[in-house]
Amino acid sequence: MSDRRPPVTDPVVRDLVRLARASVSRRRLLAGAAGALGTGALLAACGTGGAPTSAGGSGASAGGAVRWANWTQYLDQDESGTSFPTLEAFTEQSGVEVAYAEDIEDNDTFYGKVSGQLANGQDIGYDVVTLTDWMAARWIRQDYAALLDRENIPNAANILTTLQDVAFDPGRNHSLTWQSGMTGIAWDKEKIPGGLRSVSQLWDPQYAGRVEVLSEMRDTIGLLMLDQGVSPAGPWTDTDWTAALEVLEAQLASGQIRQVRGNSYTQDLASGDAVACIAWSGDITSLNYEFDGRFGFAVPDAGGMLWSDNLMVPTPSPRKAAAEQLFDYYYDPQVAAQVAAWVNYVTPVHGAQEAMLEIDPALAEDPMIFPDDLVLETVHVFGSLTPDEEELYNGRFLDVIGA
């Protein structure tokens, strides 16, 4: 995924190069801080259990700022955990302020919060949203995602070839990938020193009441289907999907599963309330920086899931042009590398791997950020669903988990 970068001549891009060279990845920061800070201080510094909710310029309100809804721990932070360096640099260079909020716990709850306003063409309070492929597809289908002006986003040409033309948004007219990641299984190595290799091992009675699964249907049901020998990429049948749901239902009824969680499952791993779970790759990498490698993560032998989250502008947003400036900024390879050095997910930007060498050479070789073909062969993208199928299967899943 690396390329040969041309000489840097644009003065703004030169500033970004300087910023990247001066930055420090979360791995390096925590390695240096571990000897000086206790766990509580590290958590505060890195955003676990309550990250800052706004950034940009002088901390502007949403009044004139681009309002961005994202997931937790999904943007680079400074050493104190009180600001976002790339956002501050963007505001300094562009004059556009950003009100940043970690307001997405999972796709369904966020959609439930804003769908009524979207249906009425009303401003939802956000100018940028970051949603997973299947939910992005719904927004585009329902005309809730604005048509992007690609002339305002020349760096969009840096998107990886594999992401340039996707079924839910041909030609990338309404979305750009923010990050991609893998879904697998995670465990507390102090409690499960032998590790885990399959989803079925989560059902061991010794872990009863201390297992968690994700509230994203495609992640949890996808892994359960793979565990039963069925690829969620398809083709699969209603019987295949239902068999996976029945496993989930049984483990919930027995109390084996403690909770079904969105992003907040990491808090339960950190506190020890959960010892094993279905998890997202970057989250576990980040937790390990904070907890000295306490957690294990694996793509199960039967396979894992691959997904992407996408930047979009809600159709009623009054600040689309400014949001497009933000998109363009984050598609510069230098900036993309700085973000990836903190969030530890798969960056969608061509050239970011070479740029990462200037920030943290070890991360440039990390397969969780820059996966090779061997890694990609072990993960699956959940097959496309028609609107009726999505309503059916997502509804049945939400009924079972009580959402």
Side-chain angles (χ1 to χ4, degrees):
M1 289 187 179
S2 65
D3 68 345
R4 180 175 296 276
R5 205 165 57 249
V8 178
T9 56
D10 186 283
V12 173
V13 177
R14 277 203 305 269
D15 286 342
L16 297 178
V17 173
R18 174 189 53 76
L19 178 65
R21 286 173 175 161
S23 70
V24 60
S25 70
R26 189 189 315 204
R27 182 182 70 84
R28 283 184 175 175
L29 166 66
L30 290 167
L37 297 176
T39 298
L42 282 173
L43 285 171
C46 298
T48 300
T53 57
S54 65
S58 58
S61 69
V66 171
R67 303 157 296 172
W68 182 1
N70 207 349
W71 305 68
T72 62
Q73 299 190 56
Y74 219 18
L75 186 62
D76 57 299
Q77 298 177 28
D78 69 356
E79 290 88 341
S80 67
T82 59
S83 67
F84 304 91
T86 56
L87 274 187
E88 290 188 341
F90 170 71
T91 295
E92 181 180 352
Q93 294 159 15
S94 69
V96 176
E97 295 185 334
V98 181
Y100 182 80
E102 295 180 332
D103 281 356
I104 302 178
E105 166 72 4
D106 61 44
N107 287 286
D108 279 304
T109 55
F110 186 79
Y111 180 79
K113 183 170 70 171
V114 301
S115 57
Q117 293 164 283
L118 288 167
N120 290 324
Q122 298 172 336
D123 184 1
I124 64 171
Y126 304 103
D127 305 295
V128 178
V129 296
T130 318
L131 301 173
T132 309
D133 283 347
W134 67 272
M135 182 58 77
R138 181 189 295 181
W139 279 49
I140 293 169
R141 187 170 64 244
Q142 295 178 328
D143 199 26
Y144 293 164
L147 182 67
L148 299 177
D149 184 348
R150 292 292 289 267
E151 290 188 1
N152 292 336
I153 319 173
N155 280 332
N158 293 330
I159 193 169
L160 293 175
T161 303
T162 53
L163 298 171
Q164 286 177 359
D165 193 38
V166 290
F168 67 87
D169 188 17
R172 286 290 184 181
N173 293 313
H174 299 85
S175 68
L176 287 171
T177 305
W178 170 241
Q179 307 289 315
S180 300
M182 302 172 207
T183 308
I185 48 179
W187 62 93
D188 188 326
K189 292 192 286 189
E190 296 174 0
K191 308 296 183 183
I192 309 176
L196 302 172
R197 296 304 312 174
S198 72
V199 172
S200 295
Q201 289 178 289
L202 297 174
W203 317 140
D204 190 315
Q206 65 180 311
Y207 312 138
R210 304 183 73 186
V211 172
E212 295 189 353
V213 299
L214 294 169
S215 57
E216 293 289 329
M217 183 273 285
R218 286 159 176 79
D219 290 312
T220 292
I221 295 297
L223 284 192
L224 290 169
M225 291 173 71
L226 286 164
D227 197 56
Q228 295 178 336
V230 177
S231 172
W236 46 264
T237 66
D238 181 78
T239 299
D240 295 328
W241 189 94
T242 300
L245 183 69
E246 288 173 348
V247 172
L248 174 63
E249 192 169 19
Q251 299 303 330
L252 283 166
S254 71
Q256 181 74 18
I257 295 175
R258 177 180 182 273
Q259 284 191 13
V260 181
R261 295 284 247 168
N263 242 174
S264 51
Y265 75 93
T266 56
Q267 299 170 15
D268 298 332
L269 277 178
S271 69
D273 289 334
V275 299
C277 62
I278 293 176
W280 291 312
S281 54
D283 285 349
I284 305 306
T285 303
S286 297
L287 279 177
N288 276 333
Y289 296 158
E290 298 168 28
F291 288 91
D292 196 25
R294 177 177 142 196
F295 303 101
F297 176 86
V299 173
D301 291 341
M305 301 304 297
L306 179 68
W307 46 265
S308 296
D309 292 323
N310 302 272
L311 298 169
M312 297 190 300
V313 180
T315 302
S317 166
R319 303 179 183 87
K320 185 170 81 76
E324 290 165 344
Q325 281 185 264
L326 185 72
F327 292 7
D328 188 64
Y329 170 78
Y330 277 106
Y331 261 72
D332 183 280
Q334 307 293 334
V335 181
Q338 187 175 346
V339 172
W342 275 80
V343 303
N344 297 286
Y345 281 106
V346 180
T347 177
V349 178
H350 190 58
Q353 186 171 26
E354 186 175 7
M356 184 70 82
L357 292 170
E358 301 171 352
I359 299 173
D360 191 329
L363 291 182
E365 304 301 322
D366 189 334
M368 293 295 102
I369 301 175
F370 303 103
D372 58 22
D373 290 342
L374 290 177
V375 172
L376 293 175
E377 286 174 2
T378 69
V379 290
H380 306 253
V381 176
F382 202 98
S384 298
L385 300 177
T386 67
D388 287 344
E389 289 171 335
E390 181 185 314
E391 182 177 359
L392 171 65
Y393 291 118
N394 218 41
R396 290 172 61 188
F397 176 76
L398 293 176
D399 284 345
V400 166
I401 68 174

